[in-house]
């Protein structure tokens, strides 16, 4: 199993550009989520999905869109990049549709995004 | 709203020392408490998961405890090694979104 994969590893954007961060998992996990990690802020939830066709907002959803057309893939779209979106983005997945007490979350290696 | 705090923010110890990392949380209604390790420029690796009904979990030189009543968890690392140098994050799982609430981490440096 490759686990959770993310592409690209690094990206530099100009303000106003759009892009999609890719996330895929090969563990047949129902639950997938996107976090951003900022210095001094820790990791914060952007969006999550409890299964194909179902998505919902997390703590910091503004400026981001998601969709979940398959179990494996959960792309994160930046509509019009802003310098405040400079961050490290992590995708995670876990087995259950919603958190179960024994479920571990598996994280991808992250995408380091800089918006100029 | 759940808040997770980790103290200290950074810790430097000599190799071979036993050490304790602390994590506190404000809402005791959690499903579980997880400890992760993050190496520089890398993703998060799950170390230990303690269910809300459990008191502790052990894996090798690592032992994590959970006291829901006081809102505390500790990660004990025995006989520390330079390879243990990393940032350690604790996170609580609760609520309806299935997401983890993270502390800001403790950056551990083990000196040879």
């Amino acid at each position: 199993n490759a686990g959770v994969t993310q592409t690209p590893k690094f990206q530099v954007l100009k303000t106003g550009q759009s892009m999609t961060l890719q996330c895929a998992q090969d563990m047949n996990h129902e639950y997938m989520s996107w976090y951003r990690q900022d210095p001094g802020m820790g990791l914060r939830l952007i969006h999550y999905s409890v299964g194909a066709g179902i998505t919902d907002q997390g703590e910091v959803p503004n400026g981001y869109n998601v969709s979940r057309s398959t179990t494996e893939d959960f792309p994160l779209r930046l509509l019009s990049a802003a310098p405040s979106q400079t961050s490290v983005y992590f995708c995670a997945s876990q087995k259950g549709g919603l958190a179960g007490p024994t479920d571990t979350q598996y994280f991808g290696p992250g995408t380091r995004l800089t918006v100029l | 709203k759940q808040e997770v705090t980790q103290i200290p923010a950074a810790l430097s110890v000599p190799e071979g020392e036993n050490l304790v990392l602390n994590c506190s949380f404000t809402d005791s209604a959690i499903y579980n408490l997880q400890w992760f390790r993050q190496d520089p420029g890398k993703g998060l690796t799950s170390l230990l998961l303690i269910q809300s009904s459990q008191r502790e979990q052990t894996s090798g030189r690592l032992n994590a405890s959970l006291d829901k009543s006081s809102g505390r968890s500790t990660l004990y690392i025995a006989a520390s090694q330079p390879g243990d140098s990393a940032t350690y994050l604790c996170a609580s799982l609760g609520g309806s979104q299935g997401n983890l609430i993270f502390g800001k981490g403790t950056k551990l440096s083990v000196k040879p």
Side-chain angles (χ1 to χ4, degrees):
Chain A
N1 284 351
V4 180
T5 58
Q6 293 182 238
T7 57
K9 284 189 168 57
F10 301 93
Q11 184 70 49
V12 179
L13 292 178
K14 294 181 180 177
T15 298
Q17 287 184 316
S18 63
M19 79 159 294
T20 299
L21 308 186
Q22 301 291 344
C23 174
Q25 52 89 11
D26 61 357
M27 297 173 282
N28 202 32
H29 285 172
E30 292 183 52
Y31 183 95
M32 296 185 73
S33 55
W34 278 100
Y35 293 86
R36 60 178 288 175
Q37 185 177 33
D38 301 293
M41 299 292 292
L43 282 94
R44 293 176 292 169
L45 182 70
I46 305 171
H47 286 284
Y48 67 100
S49 168
V50 299
I54 306 169
T55 63
D56 208 342
Q57 296 180 352
E59 181 184 355
V60 288
N62 292 342
Y64 307 96
N65 272 359
V66 292
S67 60
R68 184 98 179 268
S69 56
T70 67
T71 299
E72 295 77 22
D73 300 297
F74 190 43
L76 178 72
R77 280 183 288 277
L78 279 69
L79 309 172
S80 178
S84 62
Q85 293 179 304
T86 294
S87 187
V88 182
Y89 292 85
F90 289 102
C91 178
S93 74
Q94 72 182 38
K95 188 170 62 173
L98 269 179
T102 61
D103 288 345
T104 297
Q105 289 204 7
Y106 296 86
F107 283 77
T111 294
R112 282 142 189 84
L113 175 68
T114 300
V115 182
L116 303 175
Chain B
K1 181 185 172 185
Q2 177 74 286
E3 292 183 6
V4 178
T5 304
Q6 291 186 249
I7 294 173
L11 181 64
S12 181
V13 300
E15 181 178 3
E17 191 162 298
N18 302 328
L19 60 99
V20 174
L21 306 181
N22 296 296
C23 173
S24 62
F25 47 95
T26 55
D27 186 350
S28 62
I30 61 173
Y31 293 119
N32 65 46
L33 192 292
Q34 300 183 37
W35 284 91
F36 293 87
R37 168 184 173 139
Q38 186 175 27
D39 293 287
K42 305 291 187 184
L44 281 69
T45 301
S46 178
L47 296 173
L48 289 165
L49 182 154
I50 313 174
Q51 297 177 45
S52 62
S53 59
Q54 297 175 324
R55 297 284 292 183
E56 65 179 325
Q57 281 287 333
T58 298
S59 176
R61 295 182 294 107
L62 305 180
N63 176 276
S65 68
L66 175 64
D67 184 342
K68 281 179 56 179
S69 62
S70 66
R72 292 182 188 276
S73 176
T74 61
L75 179 66
Y76 175 83
I77 303 177
S80 58
Q81 303 170 358
D84 295 331
S85 297
T87 296
Y88 291 80
L89 298 160
C90 72
S92 68
L93 183 68
S96 61
Q97 294 184 326
N99 64 299
L100 293 165
I101 304 295
F102 283 87
K104 295 177 183 176
T106 294
K107 186 175 181 180
L108 174 66
S109 176
V110 181
K111 306 291 188 186

